[in-house]
């Protein structure tokens, strides 16, 4: 997919709802941001208003870009939809979004795959819904489509899409025949086409519920389906809910009073800091924190936090005195959880401290079990590794016992310039370190294209995450001199192959995390997701009073970003926006932990934070969906009983059905209480037919979305 050539697609405007004065539809073909009249404008804001674009030939349309007027404008589209298809009469929704009311062009990804296969379009329909000015007509200034129109690519996509549409039409017919009990037509069509309507387990449910009315057996089948993971796809498609909580720590009983009893040490927790490092051992549920800058000096203390007990422990108040690293900040740590050891590299030095004796890159290993530091080398550069760096990224591959270090600013002699933006900086490349043999290898130098491979631009403040199952490093964002980067690429550990996911050149508006230096990222290899927390920018020019946290999730299989939340001023229960903080993730228990950082308060440059937060993301659980399916089955069973035996139905309602209701949920409680009205509307048992049972099955089948495709 990455080798396919994407280009600007040629189109004409074939149809429109209306236009006013000289604001004709063809104006959107040219980008004249300074020309107030170079736009299409509808003569009404009454729906439906639209533009129909016809491509010169069928193409896989991947993005749509909107140019804008050089100033804000009340007729800009605050909300719109985009549809696409091979004909004007058969189109599917490709996008629902909106434009910012500014002068900056915006690009949006369009839906262009079905079942992981690309599909072509010949027509694109843009449908305005809402303008920024109340009761104003709609205006579009410029539209550009990008995608693939090479016939060698498009024709196979078209063949597949036509087959897909035919199969979907047959499935709809099969579904209709079965729902209306046209058994002969159903069996004849299925035999002729050999197309399965659904997963076999849904067919089994249909037979048990609709034809046999065996409700108990249905519940057992649904439980089996849940245990076999048939709810997983539905769950993965649901939006996350989130909850920030301040962590209340438990005082350690470490001080003896005059009576020989332990008393709480109330201040036994890490103090205020930024530029520190944290790692988490998910097996022991232990977080380790080291170093940082407290606003006055670098720190050399090592702490652990035991999640189950909520207790901090100061392992060492000065690791240098115990053979460990000196006080430092802007270093990096990573944990080899299999061998219970922490690796530490890098630090930042003030310009006055940059003498030759201090510019060596010391490299440490901490053994958790023995509580012992080991100096691996006092100068990694002398062994073929990186020079002294700061604001780099580092991960460890426990399986192959390899450490990977990428980026970071190389510290050189004394300088009065800002290290992050000086004119001639040195950036470190991508290195690997084989732990058993203590050997370094330079995999990619900064901006090195001599090998013919893709160029890697080193940077600082970026994110780098390891997916052990896919054997990939995911690298994105960061800062290079005064440029904030928004590219995204992967590096394969075993093949040395680099793949560009996004070069950062497209302005994708609110659909990817903002380019930055202060984001924090984690990875969940089990759910194939990357998490990104964005907040305060370190750049004072980019920092405003309205800065708020936002949390993003990247779906790795579908290459898609989703914004889980953007905080608002009314939300009190969350950490303030910040930078120089640390975020770690327990992928087993699905909890993030955030500590400290710099809030960037004007007039308080030395202020640092010591707050500690948890962030829990949740989706509907398998157990919740299983309970809901059982409820739907028992609800229909109750209705059938009520039609002929209301007293028996009342007992069933109060026992079998009531136990599946979450009585703490007002909506569920109200729905349950309204079921009693069924007892007063008796029907003839003859009205209980296959169609009604089929309708209830359809409600439960929603949770089997993967099985119904």
């Amino acid at each position: 997919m990455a080798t396919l050539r994407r280009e600007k697609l040629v189109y004409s405007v074939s149809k429109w709802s209306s236009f006013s004065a000289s604001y004709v539809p063809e104006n959107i073909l040219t980008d004249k941001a300074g020309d107030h009249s170079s736009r299409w404008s509808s003569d009404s804001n009454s729906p439906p208003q639209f533009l129909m674009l016809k491509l010169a030939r069928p193409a896989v349309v991947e993005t749509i870009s909107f140019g804008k007027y050089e100033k804000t404008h009340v007729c800009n589209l605050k909300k719109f939809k985009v549809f696409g298809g091979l004909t004007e009469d058969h189109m599917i929704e490709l996008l629902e979004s909106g434009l910012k009311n500014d002068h900056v062009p915006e690009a949006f990804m369009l839906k262009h795959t079905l079942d992981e296969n690309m599909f072509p379009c010949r027509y694109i329909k843009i449908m305005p819904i809402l303008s920024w000015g109340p009761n104003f007509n709609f205006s579009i200034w410029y539209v550009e489509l990008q995608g693939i129109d090479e016939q060698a690519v498009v024709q196979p996509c078209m063949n597949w899409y036509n087959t897909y549409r035919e199969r979907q039409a047959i499935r709809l017919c099969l579904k209709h025949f079965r729902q209306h009990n046209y058994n002969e037509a159903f069996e004849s069509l299925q035999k002729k086409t050999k197309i399965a309507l659904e997963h076999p387990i849904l067919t089994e449910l249909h037979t048990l519920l609709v034809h046999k009315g065996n409700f108990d057996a249905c519940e057992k089948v649904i439980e089996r389906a849940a245990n076999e993971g048939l709810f997983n796809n539905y769950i993965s498609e649901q939006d996350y809910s989130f909850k920030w909580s301040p962590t209340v720590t438990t005082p350690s009983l470490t001080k003896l009073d005059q009576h020989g009893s332990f008393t709480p040490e109330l201040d036994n927790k890490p103090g205020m800091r930024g530029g520190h490092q944290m790692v988490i051992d998910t097996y022991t549920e232990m977080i380790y924190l080291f170093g940082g800058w407290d606003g006055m000096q670098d720190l050399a203390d090592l702490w652990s936090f035991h999640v189950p007990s909520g207790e901090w422990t100061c392992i060492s108040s000065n690791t240098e005195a115990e053979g460990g690293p000196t006080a430092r900040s802007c270093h990096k740590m990573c944990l080899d959880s299999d061998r219970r050891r922490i690796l530490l590299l890098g630090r930042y030095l003030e310009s006055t401290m940059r003498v030759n004796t201090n510019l060596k890159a010391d490299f440490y290993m901490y053994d958790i079990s023995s509580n012992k530091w080991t100096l691996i080398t006092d100068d990694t550069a002398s062994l073929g590794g990186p020079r002294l760096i700061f604001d780099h990224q580092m991960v460890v591959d426990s399986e192959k016992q390899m450490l990977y270090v990428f980026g970071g600013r190389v510290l050189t002699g004394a300088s009065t310039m800002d290290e992050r933006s000086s004119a001639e900086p040195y950036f470190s490349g991508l290195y690997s370190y084989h732990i058993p043999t203590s050997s370094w290898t330079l995999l990619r130098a900064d901006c090195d294209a001599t090998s013919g491979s893709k160029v890697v631009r080193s940077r600082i403040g970026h994110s780098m995450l390891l997916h052990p199952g896919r054997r990939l490093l995911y690298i994105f964002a960061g800062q290079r001199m005064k440029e904030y980067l928004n590219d995204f690429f992967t590096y394969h550990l075993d093949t040395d192959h680099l793949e560009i996911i996004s070069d950062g050149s497209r302005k994708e508006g609110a659909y990817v995390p903002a380019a930055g230096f202060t984001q924090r990222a984690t990875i969940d290899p089990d759910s194939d997701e990357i998490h990104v927390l964005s907040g305060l920018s370190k750049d004072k020019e980019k920092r405003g009073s309205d800065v708020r946290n936002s949390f993003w999730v990247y779906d790795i299989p579908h290459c898609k970003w989703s914004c889980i939340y953007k905080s608002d001023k009314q939300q009190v229960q969350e950490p303030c926006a910040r930078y120089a903080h640390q975020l770690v993730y327990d992928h087993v228990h699905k909890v993030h932990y955030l500590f400290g950082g710099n809030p960037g308060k004007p007039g308080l440059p030395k202020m640092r934070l010591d707050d500690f937060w948890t962030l829990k993301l949740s989706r509907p659980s398998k157990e919740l969906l299983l309970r809901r399916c059982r409820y739907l089955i028992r609800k229909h069973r109750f209705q059938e009983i009520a039609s002929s035996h209301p007293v028996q139905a009342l007992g069933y309602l109060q026992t079998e059905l009531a136990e599946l209701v979450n009585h703490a949920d007002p909506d569920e409680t109200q729905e349950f209480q309204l079921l009693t009205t069924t007892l007063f509307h008796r029907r003839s048992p003859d009205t209980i037919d296959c169609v009604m049972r089929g309708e209830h099955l359809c409600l439960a089948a929603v949770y089997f979305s993967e099985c119904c495709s």
Side-chain angles (χ1 to χ4, degrees):
M1 295 289 288
T3 60
L4 297 177
R5 187 176 66 186
R6 298 169 176 83
E7 55 190 21
K8 181 179 176 181
L9 301 174
V10 178
Y11 69 86
S12 60
V13 184
S14 63
K15 190 178 292 186
W16 51 88
S17 55
S18 64
F19 67 90
S20 58
S22 61
Y23 305 129
V24 297
E26 288 78 11
N27 285 341
I28 70 167
L29 295 171
T30 55
D31 189 8
K32 298 180 181 179
D35 185 352
H36 183 269
S37 63
S38 181
R39 54 173 164 142
W40 165 72
S41 185
S42 63
D43 69 353
S44 167
N45 59 12
S46 301
Q49 298 296 322
F50 68 88
L51 287 179
M52 185 75 73
L53 314 183
K54 182 180 180 180
L55 297 169
R57 56 182 178 177
V60 177
V61 187
E62 296 182 306
T63 67
I64 184 170
S65 302
F66 292 89
K68 301 178 186 176
Y69 184 50
E70 62 184 1
K71 301 177 182 178
T72 61
H73 201 282
V74 291
C75 293
N76 281 337
L77 305 186
K78 188 175 184 179
K79 187 176 181 181
F80 65 89
K81 289 185 177 183
V82 178
F83 300 84
L86 289 172
T87 66
E88 296 181 6
D89 300 324
H90 297 90
M91 310 184 87
I92 63 173
E93 185 175 317
L94 307 181
L95 173 70
E96 179 177 359
S97 190
L99 298 176
K100 297 176 182 177
N101 194 16
D102 57 22
H103 67 282
V104 181
E106 293 185 61
F108 302 87
M109 291 294 297
L110 296 177
K111 179 180 180 178
H112 60 277
T113 61
L114 289 169
D115 293 347
E116 301 184 358
N117 290 281
M118 296 190 298
F119 64 88
C121 292
R122 185 69 188 273
Y123 294 89
I124 298 294
K125 184 177 182 179
I126 305 172
M127 182 178 292
I129 299 174
L130 187 67
S131 62
W132 276 95
N135 301 319
F136 278 83
N137 296 343
F138 308 115
S139 287
I140 298 178
W141 305 84
Y142 173 68
V143 174
E144 180 177 307
L145 302 174
Q146 286 202 349
I148 306 164
D149 65 354
E150 298 176 34
Q151 288 307 295
V153 176
V154 175
Q155 190 59 48
C157 294
M158 186 172 295
N159 295 340
W160 174 86
Y161 185 53
N162 287 331
T163 302
Y164 170 84
R165 291 178 62 193
E166 180 181 347
R167 294 175 66 88
Q168 291 299 99
I170 292 172
R171 284 196 177 103
L172 287 173
C173 291
L174 288 170
K175 184 176 181 180
H176 176 79
F177 292 156
R178 194 175 68 177
Q179 283 182 339
H180 291 80
N181 209 25
Y182 302 150
N183 295 327
E184 291 184 5
F186 176 87
E187 293 171 2
S188 177
L189 181 58
Q190 191 169 54
K191 182 179 180 180
K192 182 72 174 178
T193 61
K194 295 182 173 58
I195 292 178
L197 173 61
E198 61 208 357
H199 192 283
I201 207 163
L202 277 175
T203 302
E204 183 181 357
L205 273 173
H206 184 272
T207 301
L208 290 171
L209 178 61
V210 178
H211 294 301
K212 298 182 179 181
N214 191 337
F215 298 99
D216 292 334
C218 284
E219 290 195 29
K220 292 179 181 178
V221 170
I222 285 180
E223 184 174 2
R224 172 159 54 88
N227 292 334
E228 291 178 3
L230 298 188
F231 290 162
N232 292 353
N233 190 68
Y234 175 85
I235 292 172
S236 68
E237 293 174 346
Q238 304 310 297
D239 293 334
Y240 276 111
S241 59
F242 67 93
K243 182 180 181 181
W244 282 105
S245 301
T247 300
V248 179
T249 57
T250 303
S252 300
L253 302 178
T254 54
K255 291 185 178 180
L256 288 171
D257 60 20
Q258 59 181 347
H259 303 294
S261 301
F262 285 107
T263 58
E265 188 175 351
L266 297 177
D267 295 328
N268 192 41
K269 66 174 186 177
M272 296 179 290
R273 67 191 69 204
H276 50 292
Q277 276 292 289
M278 290 199 311
V279 294
I280 185 168
D281 187 340
T282 57
Y283 299 111
T284 60
E285 295 187 75
M286 193 76 77
I287 296 172
Y288 297 91
L289 181 152
F290 173 74
W293 172 265
D294 67 0
M296 298 293 292
Q297 62 182 351
D298 281 328
L299 305 171
D301 50 348
L302 176 64
W303 294 81
S304 67
F305 178 76
H306 186 233
V307 174
S309 65
E311 181 177 323
W312 282 103
T313 299
C314 183
I315 299 173
S316 173
S317 58
N318 184 2
T319 54
E320 183 181 9
E322 299 173 3
T326 57
R328 62 189 62 203
S329 58
C330 301
H331 51 291
K332 284 296 176 286
M333 295 195 317
C334 58
L335 170 72
D336 181 352
S337 56
D338 291 347
R339 296 163 187 84
R340 290 178 52 74
R341 57 191 181 191
I342 295 173
L343 296 162
L344 184 148
L345 176 70
R347 57 177 168 156
Y348 177 76
L349 288 175
E350 296 289 346
S351 58
T352 56
M353 299 292 293
R354 292 178 206 160
V355 296
N356 289 337
T357 55
N358 287 340
L359 291 176
K360 293 182 177 180
D362 50 1
F363 184 28
Y364 285 89
M365 186 270 289
Y366 174 69
D367 186 277
I368 296 173
S369 300
S370 64
N371 188 26
K372 181 181 178 182
W373 286 98
T374 299
L375 177 63
I376 299 174
T377 178
D378 65 351
D379 186 12
T380 54
S382 67
L383 301 178
R387 297 161 63 184
L388 181 59
I389 52 178
F390 69 94
D391 283 347
H392 48 295
Q393 282 296 326
M394 194 163 75
V395 297
V396 65
D397 175 10
S398 296
E399 179 185 347
K400 299 294 180 66
Q401 295 195 59
M402 293 288 286
L403 179 76
Y404 294 89
V405 183
F406 174 63
R409 176 69 186 273
V410 177
L411 280 175
T412 55
S415 171
T416 58
M417 301 186 72
D418 184 347
E419 289 297 336
R420 294 182 172 86
S421 58
S422 60
E424 298 181 359
Y426 294 95
F427 293 97
S428 186
L430 174 62
Y431 288 86
S432 67
Y433 174 74
H434 189 231
I435 299 172
T437 60
S438 299
S439 56
W440 286 95
T441 302
L442 176 61
L443 302 173
R444 293 284 196 286
D446 177 31
C447 295
D448 179 20
T450 57
S451 63
S453 61
K454 298 180 178 71
V455 175
V456 175
R457 301 173 70 200
S458 297
R459 71 281 308 272
I460 59 174
H462 50 293
S463 296
M464 181 170 76
L465 305 165
L466 169 64
H467 193 306
R470 292 177 177 264
R471 307 291 300 154
L472 289 173
L473 296 177
Y474 289 85
I475 302 171
F476 54 92
Q479 182 184 3
R480 186 178 175 91
M481 292 178 280
K482 293 185 177 181
E483 179 184 4
Y484 287 88
L485 304 177
N486 203 26
D487 55 346
F488 188 9
F489 59 94
T490 63
Y491 175 80
H492 199 289
L493 303 183
D494 301 328
T495 65
D496 190 45
H497 176 68
L498 190 142
E499 183 76 26
I500 305 296
I501 298 175
S502 171
D503 62 7
S505 62
R506 293 177 179 171
K507 296 183 181 296
E508 296 177 301
Y511 289 86
V512 298
F517 161 75
T518 62
Q519 81 291 332
R520 293 293 181 265
T522 63
I523 191 167
D524 190 328
D526 297 331
S527 59
D528 261 355
E529 291 177 341
I530 291 172
H531 307 141
V532 178
L533 174 66
S534 296
L536 190 66
S537 172
K538 189 181 186 301
D539 189 340
K540 294 180 181 179
E541 296 179 359
K542 293 178 175 288
R543 193 187 310 160
S545 59
D546 61 341
V547 174
R548 293 291 182 268
N549 295 317
S550 63
F551 197 90
W552 298 78
V553 172
Y554 181 72
D555 183 334
I556 293 175
H558 297 97
C559 302
K560 180 182 178 182
W561 286 104
S562 300
C563 184
I564 301 306
Y565 88 98
K566 290 183 179 179
S567 61
D568 54 42
K569 296 180 180 180
Q570 286 72 41
Q571 185 175 338
V572 178
Q573 190 74 351
E574 68 165 344
C576 66
R578 63 192 67 199
Y579 61 92
H581 50 296
Q582 276 300 299
L583 182 77
V584 294
Y585 179 58
D586 181 347
H587 70 273
V588 175
H589 300 93
K590 312 299 181 186
V591 183
H592 283 85
Y593 298 89
L594 179 147
F595 184 89
N598 186 338
K601 296 291 185 183
L604 296 172
K606 295 183 179 181
M607 180 180 180
R608 298 298 183 270
L609 302 170
D610 64 350
D611 52 346
F612 191 29
W613 294 79
T614 63
L615 171 63
K616 294 184 179 180
L617 302 177
S618 60
R619 283 176 167 141
S621 65
K622 176 186 74 175
E623 292 73 22
L624 174 64
L625 300 185
L626 179 59
R627 177 178 68 83
R628 191 64 185 165
C629 285
R630 283 174 165 164
Y631 173 81
L632 290 171
I633 290 172
R634 295 188 188 183
K635 175 183 174 182
H636 184 75
R637 188 175 190 176
F638 159 75
Q639 291 171 336
E640 288 198 9
I641 297 172
S643 66
S644 55
H645 301 91
V647 176
Q648 181 183 345
L650 179 59
Y652 185 84
L653 178 72
Q654 294 172 333
T655 54
E656 302 294 321
L657 196 51
E659 69 181 17
L660 294 178
V661 176
N662 177 11
H663 296 279
D665 185 319
D667 293 334
E668 283 195 32
T669 301
Q670 183 180 16
E671 180 186 350
F672 173 70
Q673 292 171 345
L674 289 174
L675 287 176
T676 56
T677 60
T678 305
L679 300 171
F680 304 101
H681 300 282
R682 297 186 62 183
R683 299 171 301 168
S684 168
D686 294 337
T687 62
I688 301 169
D689 56 24
C690 295
V691 174
M692 294 176 59
R693 289 177 176 175
E695 290 173 352
H696 277 78
L697 178 61
C698 286
L699 294 174
V702 170
Y703 305 131
F704 296 79
S705 57
E706 185 179 34
C707 309
C708 300
S709 60

